[in-house]
Amino acid sequence: MEIDSAEYQLSSELRGHEDDVRGICICGNAGIATSSRDRTVRFWTLDPSDKRKYTAWKILLGHTSFVGPLAWIAPNEEFPEGGIVSGGMDTLAMVWDLKTGERVHTLKGHQLQVTGVALDDSDVVSSSVDCTLRRWRKGKAVEFWEAHKAAIQAVIKLPSNELITGSSDTTLKLWRGQNCIHTFVGHTDTVRGLAVMPDLGVLSASHDGSIRLWALTGETLMEMVGHTSIVYSVDSHASGLIVSGSEDCFAKIWKDGVCVQSIEHPGCVWDAKFLENGDVVTACSDGVVRIWTVQQDRIANSVELESYFSGLSQFKISRKRVGGLKLEDLPGLEALQVPGASDGQTIVVREGDNGMAYSWNLREQKWDKIGEVVDGPDDTTARPVLDGIQYDYVFDVDIGDGEPIRKLPYNRSDNPYSTADKWLLKENLPLSYRQQVVEFILQNSGQKNFSLDTSYRDPYTGANAYVPGESSNKSAVPVKPSFKHIPKKGILVFDAAQFEGILKKISEFNNALMSDPEKKSLSLTEVEISRLVAVVKILKETSRYHSSTFADVDIALMLKLLKSWPLAMIFPVIDILRMIILHPDGAIRLLKLLEDENDVLMDMIKKITISPALAANLLTSIRAVCNLFKNSCYRNWLLNHRSEILDAFSSCYSSSNKNVLLSYSTLLLNYAVFLIEKEDQEGQSHVLSAVLEIAEGENLDVDSKYRALVAIGTLMLEGSVKKIALDFDVESIAKAAKVSTDAKVAEVGADIELLTKQN
């Protein structure tokens, strides 16, 4: 059976560790070594009586704190049955002889936790949070050097004999001796795990939630996104499969950049490795090592499987929370019989097995349903993580109507008004929801008695942050000039869609084509309509994006409609394409078709921007291009077509349609962030001239003006066009913005004015 054609199932569980299992080392055909927070290293060998089970053969004792990285020493003259190298929180690396189970060398020299160990011929190379790499020979240190300016989290040796390190500075570095040959830049948070991908390059796992495949030249060959939290580990198999382990309690199997299976665990998956036969070994925070297989004769028996799934179910139930509160503690629907005290007051009630948020509508004297509160943190467990950052709370809110689930992070020390403003802007939701969001935060974080200084309403500054027990007037002491709204980091996407309305409009247009004898041949067949419905179904199920896939014919159908349907009818097709771009598999398939055929996207942009352009076509196509920035595989396309794209949409700065203008401002802001990253001065100048046109306009929509000003400030602060901006009298634009009645526009105007005064 091909290992990449069937799903992995539990084969066996290796029990013995008394705390989190942190590391795995595949020791050739000899067995498996595991490390743990319980301070031990355990060596497991196949049970002679049952080839799918392993037994603990040796327990290696010596570390005084938890043990993490491991490396295998193949049998040689010094270690006839092989050896193990381990690294620990106790700052030590240790070398063990498996024949005797005794410690042969204690490698002492690091000042902080040892995070990685690798074999380089007979030498041991170790990495540490102290930012250094150290080389050891026969138990003695022979060299060390500072390899990064931040903690090093991993080190591996390549088949070409170079070393690769991953660091909290978000980079990987390629080393030949003590010389850094190349720095790999792309991750946005700590690089935690590394692995060799034979004949292709190196894999990296990051706190930013992604896995990347790099060529040794530094080019990103593939980005795999699907985990919802920190990715701790990654490994590859000769078959081309990749496995990753994450804090989100899943091990994921990847093929050709697409997640093909998610294996749920009753805890954090610290490490995941392939055995030579294709089986997967995982290390979990519940203290159990598990082996997973696709081979039918090695799958666990029904009793063992039932036991595993029962434990998994109990684990999930134990974590069930709604907005940080126990579901059983929420009031029932009877609470909705009591009128609210103020307009916008929010309560969460229990509806079956879910928590539902309602807001009091003072005018109509009724409770309006906001949406389902899907989950929240349990204060008795580790703090939840979002985008690699820990928070006191991360509320998952389903606002319904086909909208994706939105994550709302919050710390009890944060100002809820500031949190609400940031979140609404990030999610492209109306600012009129502000009070409702604040009420929701206070209700679900238990801060019902929160009182707010009315002068404290700044959505982006760190000053005057509310701290329980302290005055809200307490001022932060700036260490350097502080900007409230710049620089912009990351990109903005348009991820909400009214799928039922889109399908209804396509059906309406299709009926019109069928009734026109001259255009009937352009209409959709019943098979094509069913494929379209299937595409929308996949797009609506956002929780399955990590595993759902399209067929090439699905994408080809969309491109066919773009090319053949009348110009006035293609905007709902573009809208579906906009959402396909956000789907991992859809994005990859679309790019493949664009590369194999004519560039349909660029042809579409040119076609829909011919005057007189339809607002609906402009709106959907600009938003589609904005969404391309989310996937790194489109970066070259966006870079190569930058001039054509910006020129095609340039007339949008004067559009009377505020949605078109907001989308255009977002496109320019995304390009500003992207071109700064690419150090493309010509492109930055192009974007600058475009956003200046928007910023100089009068009676503009507030959000459009705000995004244009943020783009200007970001380009001036982090780009290479500050002098050009000054030549365009950006100071006058800043002063005009400062007197705006909208707080955020006035504040970003002040940011830009401050920039103009700096050398």
Side-chain angles (χ1 to χ4, degrees), residues 438-453:
V438 171
E439 293 279 355
F440 178 85
I441 291 171
L442 296 180
Q443 172 84 14
N444 293 289
S445 61
Q447 295 175 280
K448 298 177 183 178
N449 298 320
F450 175 84
S451 60
L452 186 70
D453 187 324

Side-chain angles (χ1 to χ4, degrees), residues 25 136 286 347 410 430 583 593 659-660 666 752:
C25 179
W136 313 84
D286 68 348
I347 63 171
Y410 178 67
H583 188 288
L593 287 175
N659 290 324
V660 170
T666 306
I752 296 172

Side-chain angles (χ1 to χ4, degrees), residues 262-450:
S262 295
I263 306 173
E264 193 169 12
H265 285 64
C268 165
V269 182
W270 286 110
D271 202 3
K273 293 283 192 297
F274 279 108
L275 291 170
E276 185 178 0
N277 64 6
D279 285 2
V280 169
V281 187
T282 56
C284 186
S285 61
D286 68 348
V288 180
V289 181
R290 292 179 175 86
I291 298 178
W292 309 83
T293 187
V294 298
Q295 303 296 337
Q296 291 296 314
D297 60 344
R298 291 206 299 275
I299 294 174
N301 62 45
S302 59
V303 174
E304 293 167 324
L305 290 173
E306 184 178 349
S307 174
Y308 169 73
F309 286 114
S310 174
L312 182 61
S313 177
Q314 290 175 14
F315 170 75
K316 292 164 71 174
I317 291 172
S318 72
R319 302 176 74 210
K320 180 68 175 179
R321 294 292 185 272
V322 173
L325 304 174
K326 289 185 178 180
L327 181 65
E328 61 189 15
D329 291 342
L330 294 177
L333 290 171
E334 66 275 5
L336 301 179
Q337 303 302 314
V338 181
S342 61
D343 192 43
Q345 177 188 349
T346 304
I347 63 171
V348 179
V349 300
R350 185 178 68 255
E351 290 187 18
D353 292 330
N354 299 307
M356 200 66 66
Y358 285 81
S359 175
W360 179 246
N361 185 325
L362 184 62
R363 171 182 284 184
E364 299 183 19
Q365 288 290 299
K366 68 183 183 71
W367 290 100
D368 292 333
K369 182 180 286 191
I370 297 175
E372 180 186 350
V373 183
V374 180
D375 197 6
D378 180 355
D379 290 340
T380 63
T381 62
R383 295 172 69 209
V385 175
L386 179 64
D387 298 330
I389 301 172
Q390 283 191 323
Y391 294 94
D392 292 335
Y393 304 91
V394 176
F395 304 117
D396 284 6
V397 181
D398 182 354
I399 63 177
D401 295 327
E403 299 274 0
I405 290 173
R406 311 297 178 103
K407 291 186 178 295
L408 171 56
Y410 178 67
N411 288 318
R412 290 180 64 86
S413 60
D414 290 344
N415 173 14
Y417 281 89
S418 174
T419 298
D421 287 344
K422 287 182 185 179
W423 186 72
L424 290 170
L425 289 170
K426 176 178 179 291
E427 299 293 342
N428 293 312
L429 293 172
L431 293 176
S432 58
Y433 289 174
R434 185 190 202 218
Q435 187 61 35
Q436 293 180 29
V437 175
V438 171
E439 293 279 355
F440 178 85
I441 291 171
L442 296 180
Q443 172 84 14
N444 293 289
S445 61
Q447 295 175 280
K448 298 177 183 178
N449 298 320
F450 175 84

Side-chain angles (χ1 to χ4, degrees), residues 34 86 175 193 224 253 307-308 343 465 505 596 694 725:
T34 57
S86 60
W175 300 92
M224 287 155 274
I253 308 296
S307 174
Y308 169 73
D343 192 43
K505 184 58 69 174
D596 293 346
I694 297 176

